[in-house]
Amino acid sequence: MKKHNFNAGPSVLPRVAIENAAKAVLDFEGSGLSILEISHRTKDFEAVNDQANDLLRELLEVPDTHKILFLGGGASTQFFHIPYNFLNRKAGYVSTGVWAKKAIKEAKLFGETVTLASSEDKNFTYIPKGFDIPTDLDYLHITTNNTIYGTEYHTDIDSPVPLVADMSSDILSRPVDVSKYALIYGGAQKNMGPAGVTFVIVREDFLDKRTRTLPSMVDYKNHIDNDSMYNTPPVFPIFVLKETLKWLKEIGGVKAIQKLNRQKADLLYGEIDSNPLFVGTTAKEDRSLMNICFVMAPGYEALNDAFMDYAKSCGMVGIKGHRSVGGFRASCYNALPLESVEALVACMKEFATQHAK
Ligand SMILES: *Cc1c(COP(=O)(O)O)cnc(C)c1O
């Protein structure tokens, strides 16, 4: 049976990227070697690294003021690399979920860390707005899409201090005004590629503000000066990331995918709002287009497991909600086809005909 991959991360990738990855594992560009056994210092791999860089720059319209890095360690490593580099006196954070809280915990190791706003009072079901941003902060850190709770910033906010954003789970899902950010980072495994590679987009002059002596691997400048090859980069994940970006460019880029993402989200939220068995879990204006969370409606809670089993029998994969929200989460990343959302909606409709009171 056809599987519909709603995994939250690592997650669905374009079929063509997987096929090209499979070919490169067997024979990397006619070299007679697998991509798994080549040196990262070869011309052929340097070309892959350059292409990945150029494609991301083009797709996200990254200005010349910013550098792009592909590193190891995941977004979680950036949680401490950022304060290590930039937290001299005081940093501001917005607490919008589990990942934001983890970032705050790490920052506290390096200096004063103030939580300027939080949505924890309502189990992170909304994005806090209208709070003051003090001008004496080294930076302000936000999480643009909250993968677990299903909330998302739909605009690039204005900040009087350098803005740092964890965009792990909504990067490339919509156009972003990169010039508004001092640093953007994330794990690639939600929307940009496979697990094992982390992207960092950093404004070069932001680096001038640093005062600490840094270990080499923590120092962004080191990675910039070595084109992300200060040490061995994640060669194979970067190759698959490059193939994923190539696919995105071929289907029309970020504007085209935004349109498709809206179409998918409208379809699924529309069903959640009209189907008597289900309700959404977040404030409507902050609903994520990437991670769509819903639970059984009041009176139907007992059917939770029955729907899960039924959805599985229809080929749905990865729709179990995170334990801190419960219910269901359908992650609708760029590479998830519209037909998968159509299949989930059909499954919800059919379940309602069987069970509506
Ligand atoms: C998945 C995720 C992370 C953690 O990423 P790792 O690469 O596993 O460290 C951090 N932030 C957000 C928003 C995420 O979705």
Side-chain angles (χ1 to χ4, degrees), residues 321-338:
H322 189 274
R323 61 187 179 281
S324 45
V325 179
F328 312 97
R329 169 177 53 176
S331 295
C332 301
Y333 296 123
N334 285 356
L336 183 86
L338 178 63

Side-chain angles (χ1 to χ4, degrees), residues 51-83:
Q51 280 167 39
N53 222 287
D54 293 347
L55 280 164
L56 182 53
R57 190 171 288 282
E58 181 183 342
L59 286 164
L60 211 56
E61 296 181 24
V62 178
D64 292 342
T65 44
H66 289 60
K67 295 285 182 188
I68 296 172
L69 300 171
F70 297 116
L71 308 172
S76 302
T77 296
Q78 296 305 313
F79 291 166
F80 80 85
H81 279 198
I82 288 158

Side-chain angles (χ1 to χ4, degrees), residues 160-186:
V161 299
L163 183 60
V164 173
D166 176 354
M167 292 197 189
S168 293
S169 50
D170 65 347
I171 188 78
L172 296 170
S173 68
R174 64 170 174 93
V176 164
D177 181 355
V178 176
S179 71
K180 284 191 162 186
Y181 298 84
L183 192 148
I184 296 170
Y185 71 98

Side-chain angles (χ1 to χ4, degrees), residues 199-218:
F199 61 90
V200 175
I201 303 168
V202 59
R203 202 178 65 220
E204 238 183 329
D205 69 9
F206 187 36
L207 298 166
D208 301 341
K209 306 222 161 88
R210 302 173 309 159
T211 55
R212 261 190 208 92
T213 305
L214 301 161
S216 308
M217 281 297 286
V218 173

Side-chain angles (χ1 to χ4, degrees), residues 73-77 79 99 143 145-147 166 168-169 186-187 189-190 198:
S76 302
T77 296
F79 291 166
W99 297 116
T143 311
N145 184 69
N146 298 285
T147 324
D166 176 354
S168 293
S169 50
Q189 69 272 23
K190 312 303 181 13
T198 309

